[in-house]
């Protein structure tokens, strides 16, 4: 028998088959379209997420770099870095001095920095919004920011203007007139004047001075593993006082973050596959009788297989093309709209797009179409004509007699009570275990991904990141206490100032910090341990070089007492493993040591006696025991060479009449209360020494972080909405197909006496079972996976906490969906056909 080339006829029949089953094929095309749409959109949104994560870090750190060497650097390390195979760019930065005073303000916070060409032009450029003028070339020129000028009280100056400032460097204090050659605006530390290389050279500092020079590195790899980091550290010959620090986006944690996002994409692809497979299986199996008729007139199984494959190719081509088009429109039109609706105020929304996204979307969608149609195609081609003509598309099993309601004289007998309806619902759910598992997995996966994404978004939102010590809303500082000469300190926050704060009803708590300068004479044991570690960590000289001088002149190595109130002590005490008796602390018998990041062994510190006296009253000597140790930077406002001790403010007031309040932390009754903050700022502005105040505001920090994050949080919410959508669509489709398959069963139940109320209860319980299994899946497997992904993606080390309200809302939506969809679908079938027509339709 000769083989005929009938591909043209098969193609023509495939087109006619598609045209003859428009309703089913439209649903099928929509399934493929949804798959391609979701794949492309998730890839685009995921790429945008990673891009915005990088942009956020650039904004927060003030430059595009992956690592930096802290503690100074040598020329040899610079050359090694420039020639290193892992390093692409090397930027150098050095501190040349700090502002002391101008005619307008005597408490400045601005510093003078020098940046080489690579640092300024390449590394810092992505963090700048605009630059006007030129970078300084002469010793009397500066590149300024508006914030630095305002800090000096000369915020109205422009390019070409001059100002006089007293500044300090390694050689002492100097007064100099500077010319503003440029202005810039952007992110990072903006209270900075950038100066020329000549200015840095005459400051007395060198690149090797500790804490005065920084080397920023751009790496060729996007991420660096722990082993690669250790090799880079070894190649650079990082010294004992130096630290090679990685940014959050280049560390090993970002690899985990990427793997977590890939896991989310994989879960999304699985959900899309379940949807496509389900619709295709139902569509093809519903046409098996048609394929049987074709076999009776001479069509071979192989030709049927080719025809169905052609249909799938047409469906796949149309669906994938439409899905990609809708994905492109969503990514570049709808997502920016969603992001802005969610609260992002940026004008330009940057959407990450790559041609590879299209290729991957087409590939995975095509593979899904092929795999999803394989079993139905094989089913149609392998069935004999007699079997195909007798095929019934319905759920597995049959309606057993004991499952049918029995009516006696218009009343339901006792065997048809709630237990029977629950049993009927359970049998319907468990009848086709594969399909039930598909629905439960689809809903469970969608809920799990929703749980994971909402947890990540809520925990990494601006309000979570901006979490100050003791949940403080505003910290007001006395800048005069930064001056070395105690005679220049001013009691800015006196009794009247504190009383006005206490009288404000919008303020819930205030916690003043008192400080007093002390001298700790040399002693063996603990002081030796502290001083050797302190000089190893922070000082250029070694402790042995100054030990003799310290023993003879301890007053040159001063330190401070930090006085805290009872509530603040309780907060500190709760955070320490070694608890202190409150009575001992309040009486001045026990104190807490500020560790100053020295990495001290608390076992060598606990119980040590410390003797000290007030620097302006040597007769006031005290002795107390160290019972605790903290490393909270909040208490690093005033630091000396010898240990800083945290004591009770009541005790401090008792031994010193001249203790000044260095800062006051304020907590509002309502978080982020802008009106309360404006009143406090007004109180500061009303002071004649308002220029000597400074403050750190949680509200302003929130705005800064929001600006740095850009549309990252909005994109995360877009991912959540898209994933929720696919899960809902999957359940709706499966639920409707289940009802279509069991239409005769329900119709027979109705015909022998089942009431509408009982049918509603049956479908209600069936939906509850689906929802319950999906929730069990989510709270077991889903929660475990969520915690794993959270830990992988939690590079900021924020505590794991499930957002209750969004999860409860999602549970409510799923429960409502599982209950309403089956009933609504059955009501629609009931309106479309009468009971007799529904039963006859299966004969």
């Amino acid at each position: 028998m000769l083989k005929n080339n009938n591909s043209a006829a098969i193609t023509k029949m495939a087109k006619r088959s598609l045209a003859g089953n428009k309703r089913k094929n439209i649903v099928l095309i929509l399934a493929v379209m949804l798959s391609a749409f979701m794949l492309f959109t998730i890839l685009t949104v995921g790429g945008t997420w990673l891009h915005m994560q990088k942009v956020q870090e650039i904004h927060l750190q003030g430059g595009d770099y992956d690592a930096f060497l802290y503690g100074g650097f040598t020329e040899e390390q610079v050359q090694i870095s420039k020639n290193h195979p892992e390093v692409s760019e090397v930027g150098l930065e050095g501190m040349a001095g700090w502002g002391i005073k101008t005619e307008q303000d005597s408490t400045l916070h601005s510093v003078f920095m020098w940046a080489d060409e690579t640092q300024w032009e390449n590394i810092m450029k992505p963090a700048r919004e605009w630059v006007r003028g030129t970078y300084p070339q002469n010793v009397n020129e500066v590149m300024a920011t508006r914030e630095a000028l305002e800090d000096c009280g000369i915020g109205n100056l422009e390019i070409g203007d001059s100002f006089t400032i007293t500044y300090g460097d390694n050689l002492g204090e100097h007064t100099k007139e500077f010319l503003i050659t440029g202005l810039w605006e952007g992110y990072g530390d903006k209270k900075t004047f950038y100066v020329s290389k000549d200015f840095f050279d005459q400051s007395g500092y060198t690149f090797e001075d500790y804490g005065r020079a920084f080397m920023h590195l751009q790496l060729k790899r996007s991420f660096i593993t722990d082993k690669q980091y250790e090799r880079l550290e070894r190649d650079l010959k990082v010294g004992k006082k130096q630290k090679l620090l990685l940014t959050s986006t280049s560390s090993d944690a970002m690899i985990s973050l990427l793997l977590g996002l890939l896991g989310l994409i994989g879960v999304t692809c699985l959900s899309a596959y379940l949807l496509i497979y389900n619709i295709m299986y139902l569509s093809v199996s519903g046409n098996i009788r048609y394929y049987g008729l074709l076999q009776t007139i001479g069509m071979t199984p192989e030709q049927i297989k080719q025809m169905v494959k052609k249909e799938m190719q047409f469906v796949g081509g149309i669906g994938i093309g439409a899905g990609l088009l809708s994905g492109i429109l969503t990514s570049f039109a709808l997502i920016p709209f969603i992001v802005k609706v969610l609260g992002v105020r940026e004008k330009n929304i940057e959407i990450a797009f790559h041609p590879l996204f299209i290729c991957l979307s087409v590939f995975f969608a095509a593979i899904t179409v092929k795999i999803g149609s394989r079993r139905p195609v094989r089913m149609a081609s392998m069935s004999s004509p007699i079997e195909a003509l007798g095929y019934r598309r319905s759920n597995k099993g049959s309606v057993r007699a004991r499952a049918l309601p029995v009516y006696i004289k218009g009343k339901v007998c006792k065997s048809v009570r709630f237990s029977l309806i629950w049993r009927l619902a359970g049998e319907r759910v468990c009848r086709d275990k594969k399909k039930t598992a598909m629905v439960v997995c689809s809903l469970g996966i969608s809920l799990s991904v929703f749980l994971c994404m909402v947890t990540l978004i809520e925990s990494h939102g601006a309000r979570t990141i901006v979490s100050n010590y003791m949940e403080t809303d505003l910290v007001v500082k006395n800048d005069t206490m930064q001056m070395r000469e105690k005679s220049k300190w001013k009691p800015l926050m006196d009794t009247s100032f504190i009383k006005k704060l206490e009288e404000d009803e919008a303020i819930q708590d205030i916690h003043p910090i008192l400080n007093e300068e002390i001298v700790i004479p040399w002693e063996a044991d603990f002081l030796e341990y502290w001083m050797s570690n302190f000089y190893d960590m922070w000082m250029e000289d070694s402790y042995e070089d100054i030990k003799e001088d310290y023993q003879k002149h301890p007053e040159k190595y001063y330190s401070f007492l930090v006085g805290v109130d009872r509530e603040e002590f309780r907060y500190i005490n709760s955070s320490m493993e070694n608890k202190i008796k409150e009575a001992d602390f309040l009486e001045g018998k026990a104190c807490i040591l500020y560790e100053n990041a020295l990495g001290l062994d608390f076992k060598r510190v606990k119980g040590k006696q410390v003797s000290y006296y007030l620097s302006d009253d040597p007769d006031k000597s005290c002795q107390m025991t160290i019972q605790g140790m903290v490393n909270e930077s909040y208490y690093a406002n005033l630091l000396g060479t010898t240990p800083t001790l945290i004591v009770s403010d009541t005790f401090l007031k008792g031994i010193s009449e001249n203790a000044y309040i260095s800062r006051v932390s304020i907590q509002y009754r309502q978080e982020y209360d802008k009106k309360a903050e404006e009143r406090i700022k007004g109180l500061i502005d009303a002071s004649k020494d308002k220029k000597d105040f400074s403050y750190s505001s949680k509200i302003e920090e929130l705005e800064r972080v929001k600006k740095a994050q850009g549309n990252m949080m909005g994109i995360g919410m877009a991912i959540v909405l898209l994933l929720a959508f696919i899960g809902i669509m999957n359940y709706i489709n499966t639920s409707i197909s289940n009802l279509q398959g069991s239409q005769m069963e329900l119709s027979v139940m109705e015909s022998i006496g089942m009431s509408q109320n009982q049918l509603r209860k049956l479908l209600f319980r069936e939906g509850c079972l689906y929802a319950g299994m999906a929730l069990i899946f989510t709270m077991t497997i889903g929660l475990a996976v969520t915690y794993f992904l959270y830990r992988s993606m939690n590079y900021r080390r924020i505590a794991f906490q499930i957002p209750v309200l969004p999860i409860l809302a999602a549970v409510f939506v799923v429960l409502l969906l599982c209950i309403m969809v089956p009933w609504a679908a059955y009501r629609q079938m009931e309106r479309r056909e009468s009971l007799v027509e529904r039963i006859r339709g299966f004969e």
Side-chain angles (χ1 to χ4, degrees):
M1 186 173 181
L2 297 176
K3 184 178 181 180
N4 297 322
N5 185 5
N6 50 17
S7 59
I10 291 176
T11 301
K12 188 174 182 179
M13 291 183 66
K15 291 181 179 178
R16 287 182 176 178
S17 178
L18 287 174
N21 297 279
K22 291 182 179 179
R23 185 174 180 180
K24 291 182 179 179
N25 288 319
I26 286 175
V27 175
L28 195 56
I29 289 172
L30 287 175
V32 180
M33 173 183 169
L34 182 61
S35 172
F37 163 77
M38 285 300 301
L39 288 170
F40 178 80
T41 305
I42 290 298
L43 286 170
T44 304
V45 171
T48 305
W49 177 283
L50 288 174
H51 170 70
M52 293 308 300
Q53 189 74 44
K54 179 67 175 177
V55 170
Q56 174 184 316
E57 289 305 310
I58 290 173
H59 290 174
L60 291 175
Q61 65 197 20
D64 183 10
Y65 56 89
D66 304 303
F68 65 98
L69 187 63
Y70 179 82
F73 53 84
T74 64
E75 288 292 341
E76 181 186 6
Q77 289 174 322
V78 174
Q79 294 304 316
I80 292 174
S81 299
K82 290 182 177 180
N83 298 323
H84 199 280
E86 297 287 346
V87 179
S88 59
E89 297 282 358
V90 179
L92 307 180
E93 198 172 33
M95 182 177 177
W98 60 92
I100 296 177
K101 63 180 179 179
T102 62
E103 293 182 358
Q104 292 77 16
D105 198 338
S106 59
T107 53
L108 307 185
H109 306 86
S110 299
V111 296
F112 293 87
M113 299 292 295
W114 163 78
D116 72 348
E117 184 176 358
T118 302
Q119 175 73 14
W120 180 258
E121 295 293 341
N122 297 344
I123 293 180
M124 293 180 62
K125 186 176 181 180
R128 292 196 298 264
E129 294 180 348
W130 53 260
V131 179
R132 295 200 298 265
T134 60
Y135 191 87
Q137 300 298 321
N138 301 315
V139 293
N140 65 329
E141 297 175 345
V142 294
M143 168 72 74
T145 62
R146 189 61 61 191
E147 286 78 4
L149 294 173
E150 289 175 353
D151 180 62
C152 297
I154 48 177
N156 59 333
L157 298 185
E158 297 291 342
I159 297 175
D161 293 335
S162 298
F163 65 95
T164 301
I165 184 173
T166 300
Y167 67 92
D169 59 20
N170 198 38
L171 302 178
E173 292 187 6
H174 316 274
T175 301
K176 192 179 187 67
E177 184 179 15
F178 288 92
L179 174 67
I180 301 175
T181 61
L183 292 172
W184 67 277
E185 181 60 48
Y187 298 89
D189 186 4
K190 293 191 288 185
K191 291 185 178 180
T192 303
F193 293 105
Y194 279 94
V195 296
S196 65
K197 180 63 164 56
D198 292 339
F199 185 89
F200 176 78
D201 291 338
Q202 73 172 21
S203 65
Y205 293 118
T206 67
F207 294 143
E208 298 183 20
D209 290 340
Y210 183 83
R212 302 301 181 186
F214 312 92
M215 184 167 64
H216 299 87
L217 306 177
Q218 276 187 5
L219 304 179
K220 293 181 180 179
R221 300 172 185 263
S222 299
F223 311 109
I224 184 170
T225 63
D226 290 339
K227 290 184 178 179
Q228 292 168 342
Y229 166 76
E230 291 172 1
R231 185 168 59 250
L232 179 61
E233 188 178 40
R234 188 168 55 251
D235 293 342
L236 291 180
K237 302 177 182 178
V238 177
K240 185 177 180 180
K241 293 186 177 182
Q242 294 177 317
K243 289 184 180 180
L244 181 63
L245 304 175
L246 295 176
T247 61
S248 57
T249 55
S250 60
S251 64
D252 197 25
M254 282 304 294
I255 298 178
S256 300
L257 174 62
L258 180 60
L259 292 176
L261 286 176
L262 290 177
L264 294 178
I265 292 173
V267 168
T268 304
C269 293
L270 176 61
S271 297
Y273 164 77
L274 292 175
L275 177 59
I276 292 173
Y277 174 83
N278 193 27
I279 296 178
M280 286 185 173
Y281 179 82
L282 292 170
S283 177
V284 175
S285 62
N287 287 325
I288 287 182
R289 299 181 71 180
Y290 167 66
Y291 303 140
L293 289 173
L294 292 178
Q295 291 188 59
T296 61
I297 61 175
M299 198 171 191
T300 65
E302 184 63 29
Q303 290 172 333
I304 291 178
K305 184 184 293 186
Q306 292 178 12
M307 185 185 73
V308 177
K309 285 183 177 179
K310 288 284 184 182
E311 292 181 23
M312 294 300 102
Q313 289 174 6
F314 291 139
V315 168
I318 297 171
I320 292 173
L324 289 177
L325 180 61
S326 60
I328 291 172
L329 293 176
T330 301
S331 297
F332 294 96
L334 183 59
I335 287 180
F337 171 75
I338 294 175
V339 167
K340 290 183 179 180
V341 169
L342 290 169
V344 176
R345 298 292 179 259
E346 293 201 4
K347 296 180 180 179
N348 300 318
I349 305 299
E350 299 179 22
I351 301 298
F353 174 78
H354 197 281
L356 181 62
F357 295 165
I358 295 179
C359 298
L360 289 175
S361 301
V362 172
F363 174 77
F364 285 117
I367 290 296
T368 304
V369 172
K370 183 176 179 62
I371 296 175
S373 61
R374 179 182 296 175
R375 183 183 174 190
V377 168
R378 187 169 61 249
M379 184 190 303
S381 63
M382 292 181 65
S383 299
S384 66
I386 299 300
E387 290 172 338
L389 290 173
Y391 178 81
R392 292 290 185 272
R393 179 173 61 84
S394 63
N395 287 332
K396 295 179 181 179
S398 60
V399 181
R400 289 179 287 180
R402 69 179 181 82
L404 297 177
V406 179
Y407 277 77
I408 299 177
K409 296 181 181 181
K411 295 183 179 181
V412 183
C413 66
K414 293 183 180 180
S415 64
V416 197
R417 292 190 180 275
F418 296 112
S419 59
L420 178 58
I421 295 178
W422 274 112
R423 188 165 66 248
L424 282 171
E427 289 178 353
R428 284 175 52 80
V429 169
C430 298
R431 188 171 300 156
D432 191 342
K433 294 182 176 61
K434 183 176 181 180
K435 188 175 290 185
T436 299
M438 186 184 297
V439 176
V440 171
C441 286
S442 178
L443 274 176
I445 287 170
S446 297
L447 267 176
S448 299
V449 174
F450 177 84
L451 170 65
C452 183
M453 291 301 299
V454 169
T455 302
L456 281 168
I457 290 169
E458 287 289 323
S459 63
H460 287 74
R463 286 176 176 259
T464 307
I465 293 176
V466 182
S467 181
N468 294 339
Y469 184 66
M470 291 184 67
E471 299 301 322
T472 299
D473 291 287
L474 185 72
V475 177
V476 182
K477 305 172 186 176
N478 181 349
D479 290 341
T480 65
M481 296 183 68
Q482 297 295 328
M483 299 180 183
R484 174 64 191 93
E485 300 84 358
K486 189 176 178 180
S487 59
K488 295 182 179 180
W489 292 5
K490 298 178 182 179
L492 301 181
M493 290 174 278
D494 53 14
T495 305
S496 61
F497 183 89
I498 298 299
K499 186 176 181 180
K500 289 177 182 178
L501 293 178
E502 292 174 339
E503 292 173 351
D504 193 323
E505 296 181 355
I507 296 177
Q508 179 173 325
D509 289 308
I510 62 170
H511 299 287
I513 293 289
L514 274 69
N515 287 97
E516 181 60 273
E517 187 177 290
I518 60 173
V519 175
I520 303 179
W522 179 87
E523 291 179 359
D525 195 15
F526 169 65
L527 261 300
E528 288 282 287
Y529 180 56
W530 170 274
M531 295 295 282
S532 59
N533 279 275
F534 181 84
Y535 270 79
D536 284 346
M537 174 66 73
W538 300 115
M539 308 300 286
E540 297 177 28
D541 300 327
S542 69
Y543 172 59
E544 294 300 324
D545 295 335
I546 62 93
K547 180 177 179 179
E548 185 177 351
D549 186 61
Y550 172 44
Q551 292 174 335
K552 293 179 180 180
H553 306 285
E555 68 278 0
K556 293 167 58 177
Y557 303 86
Y558 60 91
S559 187
F560 295 93
L561 292 180
V562 179
V564 299
D565 58 25
R566 185 193 300 262
E567 289 75 17
E568 192 161 351
F569 161 73
R570 290 173 178 173
Y571 184 87
I572 300 172
N573 205 26
S574 64
S575 66
M576 295 189 302
E577 294 183 6
N578 186 72
K579 307 302 181 185
I580 304 177
K581 292 183 179 180
E582 185 173 316
D584 290 345
F585 182 82
L586 296 178
E587 293 173 10
K589 296 178 181 179
C591 66
I592 301 171
L593 175 70
Y594 175 66
E595 188 200 0
N596 202 9
L598 298 182
L600 302 179
D601 183 3
F602 182 62
K603 293 180 181 178
R604 296 189 58 178
V605 171
K606 182 183 177 183
K608 298 297 182 182
Q609 295 287 330
V610 180
S611 300
Y612 61 87
Y613 59 84
L614 304 183
S615 59
D616 55 359
D617 190 358
D619 295 331
K620 286 285 183 69
S621 60
C622 301
Q623 187 181 66
M624 53 181 54
T625 305
I626 299 175
Q627 294 291 353
M629 186 169 68
V630 296
N631 198 32
E632 174 56 53
S633 60
Y634 178 76
Y635 300 107
N637 185 40
L638 295 176
L639 295 176
T641 307
T642 48
T644 297
L645 306 177
I646 301 174
V647 299
S648 165
D649 61 349
T650 305
F651 168 77
L652 182 53
K653 291 176 184 177
I655 64 172
S656 174
E657 298 178 356
N658 300 321
Y660 287 174
I661 297 176
S662 61
R663 58 174 60 188
V664 175
S665 62
I666 303 170
Q667 186 177 359
Y668 307 141
R669 295 189 184 277
Q670 183 178 355
E671 192 176 20
Y672 301 103
D673 189 339
K674 293 185 178 181
K675 292 183 179 179
E677 188 152 307
E678 289 301 320
R679 287 196 297 272
I680 298 172
K681 290 179 181 178
L683 185 62
I684 294 173
D685 291 337
S687 172
K688 61 182 179 62
D689 299 311
K690 63 180 181 179
K691 293 180 180 180
D692 295 327
F693 283 92
S694 66
Y695 59 85
S696 58
S697 165
K698 191 175 181 179
I699 295 175
E700 293 182 3
E701 181 68 10
L702 174 69
E703 296 301 321
R704 188 182 73 85
V705 173
K706 280 184 176 179
K707 186 178 179 182
Q709 286 182 334
N711 57 339
M712 190 186 67
M713 292 297 111
I715 289 171
M717 289 304 299
I719 294 176
V720 170
L721 295 176
L722 291 171
L723 291 174
F725 176 70
I726 192 174
I728 291 171
M729 288 295 296
N730 206 345
Y731 174 73
I732 290 174
N733 171 75
T734 306
S735 180
I736 292 174
S737 66
N738 282 343
L739 282 173
Q740 289 175 341
S742 61
Q743 186 175 346
M744 184 179 68
E745 176 187 336
L746 295 176
S747 300
V748 169
M749 287 182 179
E750 229 182 314
S751 68
I752 63 174
M754 177 175 266
S755 67
Q756 291 288 323
N757 186 43
Q758 288 174 320
L759 187 59
R760 187 184 301 111
K761 289 179 179 179
L762 175 64
L763 296 177
F764 171 82
R765 284 160 175 73
E766 185 178 342
C768 287
L769 290 175
Y770 276 118
M773 287 187 289
L775 291 176
I776 292 173
F777 179 94
T778 304
M779 298 312 295
T780 53
I781 299 174
L783 186 59
V785 173
T786 295
Y787 182 71
F788 172 76
L789 290 176
Y790 182 89
R791 289 194 61 183
S792 298
M793 303 171 75
N794 184 25
Y795 68 95
R796 289 186 179 276
R797 300 293 182 263
I798 298 171
F800 178 78
Q801 185 176 1
I802 297 176
V804 178
L805 291 180
I807 299 303
L808 289 179
V811 170
F812 174 77
V813 170
V814 168
L815 188 61
L816 187 65
L817 200 70
C818 290
I819 293 172
M820 297 302 298
V821 168
W823 174 248
Y826 188 78
R827 290 291 297 172
Q828 185 66 25
M829 296 177 191
E830 192 178 42
R831 291 193 186 99
R832 191 169 59 246
E833 294 178 326
S834 67
L835 179 62
V836 175
E837 289 173 331
R838 276 181 275 146
I839 296 176
R840 288 184 60 189
F842 285 87
E843 296 301 324

